[in-house]
Each structure stands twice: as structure tokens, then as C-alpha cells.
Amino acid sequence: MAETFKGIAASNGIAIAKAYLLVDPDLSFEQQTIDDVAAEQARVDAAFSASSDDLTKIKEKAAQNLGETEAQVFEAHLMVLADPELTGAIKQNIADNKVNAEQAVKDVTDMYIGMFEAMTDNAYMQERAADIRDVTKRIMSHLLNVALPNPALIDEEVVLIARDLTPSDTAQLDRQFVKGILTDVGGRTAHSAIMARTLEIPAVVGTNKATQIPAGTTVIVDGLTGDFIIDPSADQIAEYQAAGDKYLAERAEWAKLKDEASVSADGKEFVIGANIGAPKDMPGVLENGAEGVGLYRTEFLYMESDHLPTEDEQFESYKTVLEQMNGKPVTVRTMDIGGDKELSYWKLPKEENPFLGYRAIRISLDQQDIFRTQLRALLRASAYGNLWIMFPMIATLGEFRQAKAIYTEEREKLAGEGVDMGEVKLGIMIEIPAAAMIADKFAKEVDFFSIGTNDLIGYTMAADRGNDKLAYLYQPYNPAILRLINNVIDAAHAEGKFAAMCGEMAGDPVALPILLGMGLDEFSMSAPSILQARSLMKKLSTADMAELAKKALDAETNDEVKALVESTVNA
């Protein structure tokens, strides 16, 4: 019987397909004493062989979706499986102790993992521990004859269901088969939601019950409203197919604006840019007529690798994006690792509150060898386009000045080496209220601001954006947030500087009219949102929106602002 539930609309569109659960199975087992040693050893060989077949397919799929460099992580896993010392130790354990294959695998792999993890001063060995842990899970799944779900192996149309999706999970999705996403947790600003928008996969998150849906059940995902229907009736399927067709027709109309400028109804021009995570996102940027890349999240270079990316590896990625943008500005955010963005091969210190801890520019200023490598790669790439560099998580003037000084040192070194470089603008991401409050001081020293509303809202409202119980405090239209944003824009313009926004709020159809009225210069968003935003912008007069912005700043609540926008825009 059909049941309708509500989650958080995270990525536009409508999907109808069977549920595919991306949930780790129960891999528990009991130790047993065995008599037939040869039979248990043969089970080990079969499990290793099947795991190798799996990973070969996954590697090929990852190479298609992500590129050869990102697929190399699976090569490391294949090397673990091919290690004769590992299989030899497992088989010897079976022979010596007469234990079942599962126990032998656990004993030996636990030993290796513990040994490698103890080498805290050797990042390479700690990488091997992570590889062995991942491979062990796959071997165990074959020994226990339990399917291990993997998004890269999906070969039919499905709605992907998970408690949550990591950025690497989402990066492996094939849009040909993954038609929709449902998760138990998360919000619109979760990284899985942002990636879903980039991939143009309809998504509803924060459902609290997605993983209770039986595999194979037909599900409707309405990424426009946040509704999802389990086991829909034929009438409901027909209704949502029609709604999906209507949405696609609207997108076809928006597509006609691909090569047009972003202009308000009264003729004022703005910039609508795209947020990306890797060069592989560029087709969507170009197809949607972006006028720049307003945010290149370089942390994905680090997260999708099994090692710290080298200067040359980074240079090639940055150069690719700059060349493809053909002179349009590309704003690159330096490494924003920390918080919920971890690296398997580089263990950051455990913190009680990592979102308020050692992350982003704080790591870069502390681990200067990593920071300098990235800056050198960026400076070398600057010869191939219009590069803007943005430092994240800046709280004080001292942090910006120190980052700029390091940048200047590396630029001078490269100049001394005879390296060609282009002009580069230096700016900061405004995501900490302290920086927003003294934006007038920063504006005298930076070339531009880019407002990161995802974290700015969380820090201002003192609410973790990943906590479902606090979802009601994600209030992008709260007058407190709007006043901070307005202060930043006014401070930038007072010094003749450029004010951009790269948070998800920039593509929000409720927020856009207010931001237009405040005079925001650039709106950067997930590529699929660009044409819809351009269409809306063409219908709005900046003079009318300036009056709306004044009323919004004087309002008392998030809901009051939302109602003001709806009544003004729809009048």
C-alpha cells in the first residue's frame, strides 16, 4: 500500500525506480574449529579471486566516471589482494590453528592493520592500514556469501538508498542508472546533497526512514518538494511522471538562456558562476552557460586520492579548468580539509568539535609545506587563465596577511625560476561571523569576498548543519544572516571590491531576489541551478528588489522574510 513521507528537498527533479540499499551487511561470524584444512584454504583463494574481480570492475567504472588518477585507489586495493605474504599468513593460520577461513582472515588482517596504524609518523604505512581494512570487508563478504553493495557496480535504474553518502560514494554514481537518492540523514548543505545537485540526480535527504524501505520496492523521489512515496499506485506513478515531464519542459526553456548574459529586468548585469569539485565537473559548467567558476573545491583532489596530491598533479587539474573557462574567472579555494572532510591517509588529531577546530586555513598555515605546494601549482596554472585564489575559514586579519605573505614568497621564488604566471586576485571566504563583522577592515586588503553561507549560517545560528534535530535552525533568510551578508557586500563596495557568494543560498530562488537587491556581484551555485537562476533574474527589477531587501533586513523571522519574497515576486 502506498505511503507518502516528507524529507528535505536536496536536488531538483523527480525519479521513479526500484530501491537499491547501499547499507553495509552484517559480516559477523563465529570462530569454528575445522578438520578439512585444504577446503578452508580453498575458500580463502575463492574469496580473494572474487574480490579481485569486483575491484577490477569498480576500478574500470571509477576510471570512466572520475578519471584514471582517482581510480588508482582501487589499484592499491588490488595490490593488497595480490600480496602472497597476506594469503600465505592466512593459510598458515588455518593450518596451524585449525580455525575457519573467516577467523583466519580476521586474525591476520587485524595484525597488519594494528601494526601499520601504530606507525603514526609514516603516512604511507597508515594508508596501507586503510586499504587492508577496506579489502578485508570485501573478502569477508565473499566468505560469508553476503552481497556488499557498491554504487559503482549498479547496472540498472534505481533509487539509491543509504543512511548517508560520503563524497566518494556520490562521486562514483552513474547518472545513467542512479535516478534518485534517498538518505536517512543530512540537509541541503550536506556534501552528498551538493554532489547530487552537481550530478543532477533528484535527491531527498533527512528522511529518518529511508533505510527501512525493502530493497526492490518501487519508490518515487520528488526532489522539488521533499516528498517520497513508497510502493506508489499506478495513478501516483502517472501523476509524478507528468510532473517530471513538466519539470523537464521548464528546463528546456531555461536551456535557451545558456549563451545569454545574466541581466536583471532593468538591464543591470551580474555574474552567475558554478561550483565544482574537480575537472570532471566542467561539462556541466559549460553546458549550463556559467560565466565563471565561483568555487573550485580543491579538497576533492585530496579526498579522492590515496596520497597528498603532488604539485604536478594539482597543476594539471587547475590548468585544465582554467583553459576550459577560456579567460572567464576561476575562483579556487585552497585546501579545506577538516570538519567532516577527512583523509584516509592523513590522520588529523581527534577533536571534540572538529567544525570549530583544526581545519582549512588553520591547517595550511600550520602545515606550510602542503600549503606552499598547492600555491606553487596554482601560480604555475595562472598562466593559462583568469585565476582568483580564495583562502577559507579566515577569522582574523593576521591569518589573511600570513597566507598572503606565503603566497608572495612562492610567487617570487617561481619568478626567480623563470616560470610564467598570470595576474591573480587574492580573496577570502566569508564564513565566520567575526570576519563578516569586520569586513570593512578586510576590504582594504583583499581583492574580493566570497560569502560561504553554508557554514556562515551554521556558525551564526550555533547549529550543526548535519544534525537532523537542528534542521529547523538552518534559516538562510533569518534577518541575522541577511544583515551579516549585507554588511559584507556594503564593505566590499565601499572599497571598490567584488562581492560574490558561493554558498548554496546563491542559487536559492527565495534568497536570490534579496541578494539582487543588496547588489551582490556574483552568484555561484551548482551548475544545474544556473539557468533557472538566470531565468528568474531576468524577471526582477533591481530597484524593486532593493526595496524588498530593506524590508527583509527589518523583518523579525526567517518565515516572515520568506513570505515577503513570495508576495513580492509573485505579485
Side-chain angles (χ1 to χ4, degrees):
M1 181 178 175
E3 293 183 278
T4 301
F5 299 96
K6 193 81 173 177
I8 300 168
S11 181
N12 287 345
I14 291 171
I16 305 171
K18 291 182 178 179
Y20 179 97
L21 268 65
L22 189 69
V23 180
D24 282 346
D26 181 5
L27 296 177
S28 60
F29 63 90
E30 293 183 3
Q31 179 176 335
Q32 296 176 9
T33 302
I34 55 96
D35 297 320
D36 193 339
V37 170
E40 289 303 296
Q41 291 176 334
R43 290 182 64 219
V44 171
D45 285 336
F48 269 67
S49 177
S51 297
S52 182
D53 289 344
D54 282 354
L55 287 169
T56 299
K57 292 176 184 174
I58 293 169
K59 180 175 178 258
E60 291 171 354
K61 194 86 168 181
Q64 291 172 9
N65 292 346
L66 304 174
E68 292 291 343
T69 301
E70 288 81 358
Q72 287 307 305
V73 65
F74 299 110
E75 187 63 40
H77 293 182
L78 286 164
M79 288 173 65
V80 171
L81 287 169
D83 184 354
E85 288 190 18
L86 179 62
T87 51
I90 292 169
K91 289 181 178 180
Q92 193 63 48
N93 190 10
I94 293 172
D96 291 347
N97 299 306
K98 300 296 187 291
V99 293
N100 52 328
E102 291 86 349
Q103 189 64 47
V105 168
K106 184 178 188 303
D107 290 343
V108 173
T109 56
D110 280 355
M111 178 194 70
Y112 276 107
I113 290 167
M115 181 174 64
F116 290 149
E117 284 188 334
M119 300 179 186
T120 54
D121 59 344
N122 190 322
Y124 177 82
M125 288 303 180
Q126 292 203 322
E127 290 173 37
R128 301 289 72 76
D131 291 337
I132 293 172
R133 185 178 288 105
D134 288 345
V135 169
T136 300
K137 185 191 296 184
R138 187 165 300 281
I139 295 167
M140 286 294 193
S141 74
H142 285 291
L143 286 173
L144 296 167
N145 198 27
V146 175
L148 191 66
N150 191 300
L153 295 179
I154 296 171
D155 59 3
E156 61 177 338
E157 293 190 357
V158 300
V159 167
L160 189 68
I161 292 176
R163 182 179 182 277
D164 195 9
L165 290 174
T166 66
S168 57
D169 283 335
T170 318
Q172 293 183 58
L173 304 186
D174 187 335
R175 286 184 294 174
Q176 179 183 353
F177 299 118
V178 178
K179 297 302 181 183
I181 294 172
L182 278 179
T183 67
D184 285 342
V185 301
R188 270 193 63 83
T189 59
H191 293 290
S192 55
I194 293 169
M195 290 291 283
R197 287 194 287 278
T198 299
L199 292 167
E200 300 186 53
I201 299 174
V204 174
V205 300
T207 67
N208 296 316
K209 62 170 73 260
T211 53
Q212 298 172 25
I213 301 171
T217 305
T218 299
V219 180
I220 294 175
V221 176
D222 187 342
L224 301 166
T225 66
D227 292 334
F228 64 102
I229 303 174
I230 302 170
D231 195 18
S233 66
D235 287 345
Q236 287 173 316
I237 290 174
E239 176 188 345
Y240 276 89
Q241 283 174 335
D245 290 343
K246 180 183 176 184
Y247 174 69
L248 292 175
E250 287 180 334
R251 284 184 54 183
E253 286 299 310
W254 300 333
K256 296 175 183 177
L257 302 176
K258 174 189 169 187
D259 298 318
E260 293 193 19
S262 301
V263 184
S264 66
D266 52 342
K268 293 193 177 179
E269 289 196 16
F270 297 84
V271 176
I272 299 185
N275 298 340
I276 67 169
K280 65 182 175 62
D281 297 333
M282 288 304 295
V285 173
L286 300 173
E287 289 164 10
N288 286 285
E291 293 160 316
V293 170
L295 171 63
Y296 181 170
R297 302 182 183 92
T298 61
E299 57 270 19
F300 286 101
L301 285 172
Y302 297 77
M303 295 170 69
E304 295 174 1
S305 175
D306 62 354
H307 61 276
L308 286 171
T310 66
E311 181 181 322
D312 284 343
E313 287 170 342
Q314 293 189 60
F315 163 72
E316 290 297 336
S317 293
Y318 307 146
K319 174 174 174 279
T320 297
V321 173
L322 283 160
E323 285 183 327
Q324 290 190 36
M325 287 310 294
N326 196 28
K328 294 176 182 175
V330 175
T331 301
V332 177
R333 179 173 71 188
T334 58
M335 183 187 72
D336 188 13
I337 293 298
D340 60 346
K341 289 172 279 189
E342 299 179 350
L343 303 178
S344 63
Y345 53 87
W346 184 28
K347 298 297 182 185
L348 294 173
K350 292 294 181 185
E351 300 177 279
E352 288 190 15
N353 194 335
F355 289 95
L356 296 178
Y358 186 62
R359 58 176 295 199
I361 198 65
R362 299 165 183 180
I363 295 176
S364 295
L365 296 178
D366 183 51
Q367 305 278 341
Q368 288 190 20
D369 54 336
I370 298 172
F371 190 37
R372 289 176 186 273
T373 296
Q374 182 170 34
L375 290 174
R376 284 178 63 90
L378 284 165
L379 283 163
R380 287 169 55 197
S382 69
Y384 297 89
N386 183 359
L387 176 64
W388 299 25
I389 296 176
M390 171 168 64
F391 303 127
M393 202 69 183
I394 294 287
T396 69
L397 284 161
E399 287 173 328
F400 173 71
R401 289 167 181 164
Q402 188 181 356
K404 183 177 180 180
I406 295 169
Y407 162 86
T408 302
E409 287 174 12
E410 293 306 318
R411 188 174 184 101
E412 290 172 352
K413 287 179 189 175
L414 287 170
E417 296 168 18
V419 175
D420 288 336
M421 293 174 284
E423 293 296 320
V424 178
K425 291 186 183 294
L426 285 186
I428 63 171
M429 194 166 180
I430 299 280
E431 50 194 329
I432 296 178
M437 290 302 297
I438 58 167
D440 58 324
K441 304 297 184 184
F442 278 107
K444 297 179 188 303
E445 302 191 28
V446 304
D447 294 321
F448 69 94
F449 292 137
S450 186
I451 305 167
T453 52
N454 301 352
D455 277 338
L456 182 64
I457 294 166
Y459 292 137
T460 304
M461 303 300 290
D464 178 359
R465 62 180 177 167
N467 187 329
D468 293 342
K469 294 187 182 299
L470 303 181
Y472 74 97
L473 286 173
Y474 178 72
Q475 297 185 8
Y477 326 122
N478 188 294
I481 305 296
L482 298 181
R483 290 184 185 190
L484 285 174
I485 292 169
N486 191 61
N487 188 59
V488 173
I489 296 170
D490 285 350
H493 291 170
E495 296 293 335
K497 303 296 175 63
F498 192 84
M501 180 179 288
C502 60
E504 289 302 305
M505 188 174 169
D508 184 327
V510 175
L512 186 145
I514 300 172
L515 299 172
L516 197 73
M518 290 180 179
L520 184 71
D521 298 304
E522 178 183 86
F523 300 70
S524 191
M525 60 198 70
S526 300
S529 301
I530 290 172
L531 296 174
Q532 181 180 8
R534 187 168 293 156
S535 174
L536 175 59
M537 189 177 284
K538 289 175 73 69
K539 301 171 185 174
L540 304 175
S541 159
T542 55
D544 292 343
M545 294 308 104
E547 288 301 314
L548 169 64
K550 287 179 185 177
K551 293 177 182 176
L553 291 168
D554 195 42
E556 295 182 354
T557 68
N558 186 81
D559 289 342
E560 183 183 344
V561 172
K562 189 175 180 181
L564 269 171
V565 174
E566 290 173 350
S567 62
T568 303
V569 173
N570 296 328

